[in-house]
Every structure is written in C-alpha cells, then in structure tokens.
Amino acid sequence: MGYSRRNLLIAGGLTVLGLPACAVGADGAADDGAGKVEVFSWWAAPGEKEGLEALVADFRQRNPGIEFDNAAVAGGAGTIAKTVLATRLENDDPPDSYQTHAGLELDSDIEAGYVEDVRYLYDQQRWRDRLPKGLVEALTFDGRIYSVPVNIHRANLLWFNPAVLKTHGLTPPASWSQFLTQAAALREKGVLPLSIGPAWTQKHLLECVLLGELGADGYTGLWDGATDWKGAPVQEALALFVKVLDQSDVATAAGDWQPALDKVVAGTAAYNVMGDWADAYLRTRKLVFQEGYSVVASPGSAKVYDFLSDSFTLPRGAPHRRAAEQWLIECGSVSGQDAFNPQKGSVPARLDADKSKYTGYLALAIAEWTDSSTRVVGSLTHGVVAGTKRSAAIDTALALFVQDRDTVKFADGVTR
Ligand code: GAL
C-alpha cells in the first residue's frame, strides 16, 4: 500500500498535535505546500521537452512563488521512467505529481493507494463540463478520478517524406495489404519500407495493424471481450502483422522513436508508424508539414482516432501538496493546454481551448478530433484500454511473438 506505515505515523502524530496531515511531506519535513513542485514525466528528449517547457513557462508566470523541479527521465513511452517511478512509489518517495495516461493504466497505482482522488479539483475548476464526456469516462474509476488530462494524442498515424514517395511514384497505402505491395517495390529500389524502434514501438505498430484490419468495433472488442483473439479475423490480422514487421528493420531496430523517424526524414525508410508527438519532433528538426514530412491515418484506420491522453496525478504523501494542486490546475487550464499542446504535437483535452493556436498538422488533428463523425478508440500501448497487468502480459507475449511468429501462442499469452 502506498499509505505507508511511516506516513500513517506522521499523519497520526500530527492529528494528535491538531495540525492538518497534509502539511507534512513524505520526508517528514514540514511544508506549507508552496515553494516547490517536483514533477515526474518522461518528456526530456527533443519532441517531448519543448511542450513541457512551454507548460512550465506558463505555470511559472501564474505561480511565481513556486519553483519547478523537473524530474523527467528520458525514454519513449516512459519505459525507463515507469521503472524509476515504481521504485520511488514503493519506497514512499513520491514526486509531487507524475505523468500517466487516462485509462486503465493507472489501475494498479489506484489499487496500491499511491494516488489521491482529485474530484474536488474537478468540481472546483468545473472540468467535467469542459472535457469530452468519453475522456472523463476513461479517467473515472468506480466514480473517482485520479488524474488531470493535459492533452489528446493520436496514435494511429503513418508518417512519410513526401519527396521520397514522389521519387518512387507512391501515394500512402490505404490498407496494410497495399502497404505490403508497396513494400516489395520499395525493397527492389533499396528503400526500407518501414522503420521501427524498441519493443514499445512494435506494440504501437501491432495496435495500428489490429485497428486497421479489425476496424474500430473489432479492435474495441479486443479489450471488452467481444472480439475473440483466437477467431479467424484476429489470427489473420496477427499473421499480417508479422508480414508487416518483416518489412521493417526490427532486427536492427532504432534505440527510440526519434531515430526511427530520422530514417524517414533521410529517405532511407519510406514510412514510420508513430503517434503525433512525431509532429513536434519533426518540427524541432526544422521540417515543415507537407514539405519535409507528411502524415495519414495508419492503413485501414481513416476517420478513426486512436486516442491517448497524458495526465498528471496527485500522489498520496506528495511533499508539496498545495504546489502540486497548482500544477494540476495548470495542466487542466486553457492557458496551460494552449501553451503545451502546440509544442507537444497534441490537441487540447479541453473543449474551450483556442483552436487558432493549432496550425500545420495540428489544424487537421483538431478538426478531426472535434468532428462528431470521427470514431474514437483507445490506445493499447499508451494506457487507455489495458490495465498494467494485462499490458505487461501483452509485452511478454509480444517479445516472444516477434521471435517465433506463433499467432495462436500469442493469443494464448494475451488472454491468459
Ligand atoms: C506516450 C506519451 C506521449 C509521448 C510518447 C513518446 O506514452 O503519451 O506524450 O511522450 O509516449 O514518448
């Protein structure tokens, strides 16, 4: 349990003294809640840190008395950060706030008692009326809400370099089988069809292949039990995923998502499947949308928004609780979201943000996100549709699947 014996003792001691328990940090130091806020995220590398910096700049302006302590740990999708964070939470050493995703990803932290219910902030800031209903649902566990969303990212995107496609006389594929046809032609010309990175990017690709092949309903059914992993459609989609992977550089995969995208920029690879944080990264490389890079929905998923939402928590025992509340208010504010998202390659979670701030790729993204005919599904890789345990089981099964290509065994591993 996150409510450690030590914290209980401290809280108990203070109750006896008649002081509010929240006036004590996890380290036992008295704290009036202001002064400093330690925020833990994985936004440390190009394409990630610019958004955080913009959010922090807005936060500083509105909270001049609070020092921002940036505890970011680099590594795409938080793979390294999540391990570091887990150790800190286990050791009763929480930051004042940490990055997570809307959706089931937070289930184990809630169960362990690591995070506080922040519905009082939702009431105070009237966030429920200012966020999409579906997002609020994804944030709600047994009627309680444990984090504050700062954005909406889209996962199902296929990035390319328009000049490279032009050279090869190609237009982006509308289905994964079309991609495979193009891949054969690209190979003959010495171009790698698809660049890929570490394990989480392979999971991200799997999610996009499943979505493209099964459609929004079939994909959603994978997570609510309506779609059979061992049925023919999923088995065929898994077999196709293996073929797609064979057209990538998985054997010599890039160390993270940015170098995988670099191959597309350089023209040594034709395509890369990645979320729209890629837009932020490509802009840091001084590329212009529709000139140096472009994007379409990943094959078979046009008009579907495979969404995820970065959100921040209030850990139990946060040493600077009042400053942490100010940070969460910042994350949920229009000014914070409109500072952050144009730099982050995401669209605002809030419905009342200033759309004029979103240009280039983001103008298209916001139009599609707010179009009532767009179908919304939740990301597997980025926390929406699978809890921690299930997601970890998929990671284990996928690491084997990439080696042995056994679709039935994979389905077994995933449903066990
Ligand atoms: C996701 C996160 C994004 C972006 C991406 C790559 O999990 O939601 O904001 O940081 O990882 O690191």
Side-chain angles (χ1 to χ4, degrees):
M1 285 290 285
Y3 224 56
S4 71
R5 250 173 53 149
R6 189 181 50 174
N7 281 351
L8 280 173
L9 288 175
I10 292 165
L14 281 169
T15 308
V16 171
L17 292 171
L19 293 169
C22 67
V24 156
D27 56 3
D31 178 8
D32 65 3
K36 174 178 155 174
V37 65
E38 188 199 13
V39 175
F40 190 96
S41 76
W42 55 87
W43 294 331
E48 318 248 55
K49 69 173 169 23
E50 294 77 12
L52 179 61
E53 280 164 9
L55 182 58
V56 171
D58 191 66
F59 174 74
R60 283 202 173 112
Q61 211 170 7
R62 304 203 306 165
N63 297 276
I66 303 176
E67 183 198 329
F68 185 84
D69 183 358
N70 187 354
V73 175
T79 40
I80 302 167
K82 284 179 179 173
T83 314
V84 174
L85 178 68
T87 308
R88 286 191 58 172
L89 294 175
E90 270 161 34
N91 292 337
D92 293 321
D93 177 27
D96 295 310
S97 183
Y98 65 84
Q99 179 187 354
T100 182
H101 292 114
L104 297 181
E105 177 179 285
L106 201 56
D107 64 350
S108 52
D109 285 5
I110 294 169
E111 213 173 295
Y114 289 152
V115 282
E116 289 200 24
D117 180 1
V118 291
R119 273 176 303 165
Y120 67 98
L121 290 177
Y122 277 72
D123 294 340
Q124 189 195 94
Q125 303 293 319
R126 302 196 25 228
W127 282 328
R128 280 188 194 77
D129 306 335
R130 288 157 182 177
L131 295 170
K133 219 171 134 245
L135 176 59
V136 175
E137 272 163 25
L139 288 157
T140 306
F141 292 78
D142 288 333
R144 302 191 172 90
I145 304 182
Y146 298 87
S147 67
V148 179
V150 67
N151 67 354
I152 300 290
H153 266 306
R154 186 178 188 181
N156 58 318
L157 293 167
L158 184 72
W159 300 88
F160 57 93
N161 177 339
V164 172
L165 290 204
K166 197 164 170 227
T167 305
H168 299 295
L170 296 173
T171 53
S175 67
W176 283 107
S177 51
Q178 262 181 34
F179 165 79
L180 290 177
T181 309
Q182 287 194 9
L186 285 161
R187 286 250 181 231
E188 272 175 26
K189 292 172 179 167
V191 178
L192 174 70
L194 187 73
S195 64
I196 197 126
W200 73 266
T201 68
Q202 297 160 29
K203 190 180 184 186
H204 189 121
L205 176 66
L206 172 68
E207 148 178 359
C208 292
V209 172
L210 289 171
L211 175 61
E213 290 300 294
L214 303 174
D217 287 334
Y219 172 83
T220 302
L222 292 170
W223 317 115
D224 65 17
T227 300
D228 179 5
W229 282 86
K230 290 192 188 144
V234 179
Q235 288 293 303
E236 281 160 22
L238 290 172
L240 189 100
F241 167 71
V242 170
K243 288 188 186 152
V244 170
L245 206 60
D246 281 340
Q247 297 306 330
S248 78
D249 52 353
V250 64
T252 55
D256 211 340
W257 60 275
Q258 296 98 330
L261 275 164
D262 288 343
K263 295 181 186 174
V264 173
V265 173
T268 52
Y271 298 108
N272 180 258
V273 170
M274 194 36 59
D276 47 11
W277 42 93
D279 173 63
Y281 173 64
L282 294 168
R283 281 187 279 131
T284 67
R285 297 220 34 201
K286 305 278 176 260
L287 298 167
V288 174
F289 180 56
Q290 304 291 30
E291 291 173 22
Y293 70 100
S294 191
V295 70
V296 290
S298 54
S301 72
K303 296 293 291 170
V304 181
Y305 220 96
D306 180 15
F307 98 99
L308 57 119
S309 172
D310 293 304
S311 65
F312 282 85
T313 57
L314 178 59
R316 210 165 273 220
H320 310 93
R321 190 198 156 98
R322 279 193 9 229
E325 287 173 341
Q326 290 310 116
W327 169 250
L328 296 180
I329 289 169
E330 173 70 27
C331 291
S333 70
V334 169
S335 83
Q337 295 200 2
D338 280 343
F340 174 74
N341 289 302
Q343 300 298 322
K344 183 63 172 66
S346 40
V347 301
R350 282 187 72 125
L351 300 165
D352 53 349
D354 178 359
K355 284 192 183 172
S356 72
K357 293 206 155 62
Y358 300 82
T359 58
Y361 159 75
L362 287 176
L364 299 181
I366 209 164
E368 202 151 353
W369 171 248
T370 53
D371 179 345
S372 58
S373 71
T374 297
R375 187 67 203 276
V376 178
V377 300
S379 171
L380 160 67
T381 312
H382 308 280
V384 184
V385 289
T388 325
K389 276 200 198 114
R390 185 162 199 200
S391 195
I394 294 174
D395 290 343
T396 307
L398 182 59
L400 292 173
F401 182 42
V402 166
Q403 305 291 324
D404 68 15
R405 278 116 205 273
D406 184 332
T407 59
V408 176
K409 203 167 119 200
F410 179 70
D412 270 334
V414 165
T415 47
R416 189 169 294 139

